[in-house]
């Protein structure tokens, strides 16, 4: 009897969860008016739906702490420096950090694919690299390329906090130089996974270099490729 009630309760919770998802999606669905897309329904991520996704993302405690510290960085720097330039650069920096759902996707791909060797181009405060390092095997390796020394100080502290520093090879400086050096030292086609989230003007160069470093069958993930929809704008 107790088992039956428990099963019903679980089913009820799942049903309520599905109803909540359906309700969120109802207000986020856009139907394409172009017949060539067969009136395809396109889900638009509204703030309400995004809040729901974040609330249900499996975010380790250490990642939550790092995200919260990064989100308050703007306020701290404004208080100390009180300069408009710092305020502007910090505001841009906050937007550079990946969201919890993105980090969860990267970590899931690394686990599902059995990845052992990774490269991340553009690490910022280390949120995404930390998420990946946490799921890498003990023998795994992540090359983290970042040119911002202050950001590196934060990420290294969190690597140490959760004991993954031995998995992360931090390369301070220009990412292109680091990737070229890796190719020259014979590391070509030896990586399983790469993630690009750095300065957009150099994306093409990063991609071409990573093609030489990531093995056949490996994955290269590139962030911001749609760039707020601007890729569809006429030249």
């Amino acid at each position: 009897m107790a088992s039956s009630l428990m099963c019903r309760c679980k089913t009820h919770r799942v049903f309520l969860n599905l109803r909540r998802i359906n309700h969120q999606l109802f207000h986020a669905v856009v139907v394409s008016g172009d017949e060539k897309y067969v009136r395809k329904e396109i889900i638009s991520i509204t703030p309400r739906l995004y809040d729901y996704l974040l609330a249900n993302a499996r975010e380790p405690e250490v990642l939550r702490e790092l995200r919260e510290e990064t989100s308050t960085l703007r306020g701290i720097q404004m208080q100390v420096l009180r300069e408009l330039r710092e305020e502007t650069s910090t505001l841009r920096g906050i937007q550079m950090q990946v969201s919890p759902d993105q980090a969860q996707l990267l970590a899931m791909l690394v686990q599902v694919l059995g990845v052992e060797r990774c490269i991340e181009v553009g690490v910022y405060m280390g949120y995404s690299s930390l998420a990946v390092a946490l799921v890498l095997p003990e023998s795994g390796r992540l090359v983290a390329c970042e040119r911002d020394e202050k950001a590196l100080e934060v990420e290294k502290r969190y690597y140490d906090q959760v004991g993954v520093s031995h998995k992360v090879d931090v390369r301070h400086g220009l990412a292109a130089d680091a990737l070229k050096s890796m190719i020259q030292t014979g590391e070509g086609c030896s990586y399983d996974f790469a993630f690009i989230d750095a300065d957009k003007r150099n994306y093409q160069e990063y991609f071409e270099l990573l093609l030489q470093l990531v093995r056949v069958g490996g994955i290269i993930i590139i962030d911001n490729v749609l760039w707020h929809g601007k890729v569809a704008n006429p030249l």
Side-chain angles (χ1 to χ4, degrees):
M1 180 65 176
S3 176
S4 176
L5 287 174
M6 185 180 296
C7 182
R8 287 184 180 180
C9 287
K10 288 182 178 178
T11 303
H12 185 59
R13 285 199 297 271
V14 170
F15 178 69
L16 288 176
N17 202 30
L18 288 174
R19 284 185 60 187
R20 192 177 299 117
I21 293 173
N22 288 334
H23 178 72
Q24 299 282 3
L25 291 180
F26 177 77
H27 295 283
V29 171
V30 176
V31 180
S32 172
D34 196 326
E35 291 300 328
K36 70 181 180 182
Y37 295 112
V38 201
R39 295 187 60 78
K40 188 74 173 178
E41 291 186 349
I42 303 166
I43 297 177
S44 175
I45 302 297
T46 63
R48 186 175 181 183
L49 179 57
Y50 189 62
D51 286 343
Y52 175 81
L53 292 175
L54 292 184
N56 288 274
R58 293 190 295 270
E59 183 180 27
E61 181 66 19
V62 65
L63 291 181
R64 183 190 61 78
E65 292 177 10
L66 175 55
R67 175 169 55 81
E68 290 180 351
E69 178 171 332
T70 304
S71 68
T72 59
L73 184 60
R74 174 173 175 264
I76 293 173
Q77 291 189 345
M78 284 179 64
Q79 180 179 357
V80 175
L81 302 176
R82 299 182 183 280
E83 294 180 2
L84 180 59
R85 179 175 58 83
E86 289 296 329
E87 176 184 350
T88 304
S89 64
T90 309
L91 179 61
R92 182 177 64 87
I94 290 174
Q95 296 170 335
M96 285 162 55
Q97 179 163 274
V98 304
S99 59
D101 53 311
Q102 286 179 296
Q104 184 178 333
L105 174 61
L106 293 173
M108 182 185 70
L109 288 173
V110 167
Q111 286 182 299
V112 169
L113 299 172
V115 169
E116 293 193 3
R117 291 169 62 83
C118 309
I119 301 171
E120 182 166 342
V121 178
V123 179
Y124 188 45
M125 294 293 181
Y127 190 88
S128 52
S129 61
L130 183 58
V132 168
L134 283 169
V135 298
L136 279 175
E138 282 301 303
S139 59
R141 182 189 185 211
L142 168 63
V143 177
C145 304
E146 176 57 54
R147 64 184 181 183
D148 187 335
E149 190 171 3
K150 290 184 178 180
L152 286 174
E153 292 176 3
V154 176
E155 67 189 56
K156 286 180 179 179
R157 176 156 47 85
Y158 278 90
Y159 295 153
D160 291 337
Q161 181 177 326
V162 293
V164 297
S165 295
H166 62 289
K167 301 181 187 180
V168 185
D169 178 5
V170 176
R171 303 291 182 96
H172 177 222
L174 297 177
D177 292 343
L179 298 178
K180 290 174 184 176
S181 175
M182 292 161 65
I183 293 171
Q184 292 170 358
T185 54
E187 296 186 55
C189 299
S190 66
Y191 288 84
D192 311 301
F193 183 94
F195 176 50
I196 305 175
D197 186 15
D199 52 306
K200 314 312 171 192
R201 292 183 183 275
N202 290 313
Y203 263 29
Q204 184 66 38
E205 183 179 14
Y206 298 147
F207 179 66
E208 295 294 338
L209 291 170
L210 287 172
L211 284 176
Q212 301 177 59
L213 288 164
V214 176
R215 63 173 175 80
V216 175
I219 289 183
I220 300 175
I221 296 179
I222 306 174
D223 198 15
N224 307 123
V225 291
L226 299 181
W227 202 238
H228 308 291
K230 293 181 180 179
V231 293
N233 293 345
L235 296 175

